[in-house]
Amino acid sequence: YAFVKVYAVGTYVDPITMSVLKKSSPTEIQKALCDPMYPRTIRIVMNRGLSIEKFTAAIIETLEPRMKGVDLDKLEEFKKLNPPIDLIQGAEIEMTIRGDTMLYKNCVGGVGAIHSKAFCEALCDTYYGADDPVSPGHLKDVIAGIQKLK
C-alpha cells in the first residue's frame, strides 16, 4: 500500500493479462495502466475517518477535468453509489475497472456500476497518469510489481 493523505491505496491486476508488459519500460507500463482495457481493481482502505461528502467531492474534483466534458452525469451516478454515512478508519472501497465499466463496492458492501469510457479513463489517469497521479509512490510501486510478475 501507498499512503495518499487519508487512505491507503492498492492496485490488483490480472497477472496473466499484465505479464505481457513485464519486460516493458516503466513508461510503457504506465501508459498501459492508463488504458482501462487492462483490467484492475483499485482498493482503498481509510487511514482515518472522513465524511463521505469530502471523499466523493475529492474524487469528483479529480475526475471532472480529466473527463473533458464527456459523460459528466456519471459523476452524479458515482456520488449516489456511496451511502450517506461517514467513512471510518478501516473502511474499504473497491473500484474494478474493465474497459468502459467500473464496478464499485462501497464501504458497506453495496455494489454498483458505472458504464462510461470517459469515467474509466479519468479514473485510470487519476491513479496512473504521468502528469499528476494521486500518489506517485503508488504508481511507482505498481510499475515495479508488474515488472516482477512471473
Side-chain angles (χ1 to χ4, degrees):
Y1 289 113
F3 289 99
V4 181
K5 298 181 184 177
V6 297
Y7 62 82
V9 61
T11 295
Y12 300 87
V13 299
D14 176 4
I16 295 169
T17 303
M18 296 304 264
S19 67
V20 300
L21 297 169
K22 67 183 177 184
K23 293 186 180 179
S24 300
S25 72
T27 301
E28 290 170 323
I29 294 170
Q30 182 271 325
K31 284 181 184 174
L33 287 166
C34 286
D35 182 350
M37 294 308 291
Y38 288 93
R40 88 288 314 264
T41 296
I42 300 167
R43 181 171 175 250
I44 292 172
V45 180
M46 299 305 296
N47 270 344
R48 63 179 179 86
L50 183 71
S51 77
I52 196 65
E53 291 83 12
K54 284 185 181 179
F55 175 80
T56 52
I59 298 279
I60 288 170
E61 181 181 310
T62 303
L63 294 178
E64 186 173 9
R66 290 172 160 97
M67 292 174 70
K68 300 177 176 101
V70 178
D71 287 346
L72 294 179
D73 59 309
K74 302 300 180 182
L75 297 173
E76 192 60 33
E77 278 185 44
F78 174 75
K79 210 174 188 179
K80 291 177 182 175
L81 291 174
N82 291 295
I85 61 168
D86 288 342
L87 298 168
I88 60 169
Q89 183 176 353
E92 297 179 20
I93 295 168
E94 291 182 2
M95 297 175 281
T96 299
I97 301 165
R98 290 180 177 271
D100 67 351
T101 301
M102 190 264 309
L103 302 174
Y104 189 75
K105 184 170 130 185
N106 65 32
C107 64
V108 295
V111 294
I114 292 179
H115 302 282
S116 166
K117 182 178 180 185
F119 185 94
C120 291
E121 286 176 344
L123 193 57
C124 289
D125 188 63
T126 296
Y127 288 94
Y128 314 109
D131 293 335
D132 190 24
V134 171
S135 171
H138 175 249
L139 174 58
K140 183 179 173 187
D141 290 345
V142 172
I143 290 169
I146 289 170
Q147 289 175 320
K148 293 177 185 172
L149 290 172
K150 294 185 181 194

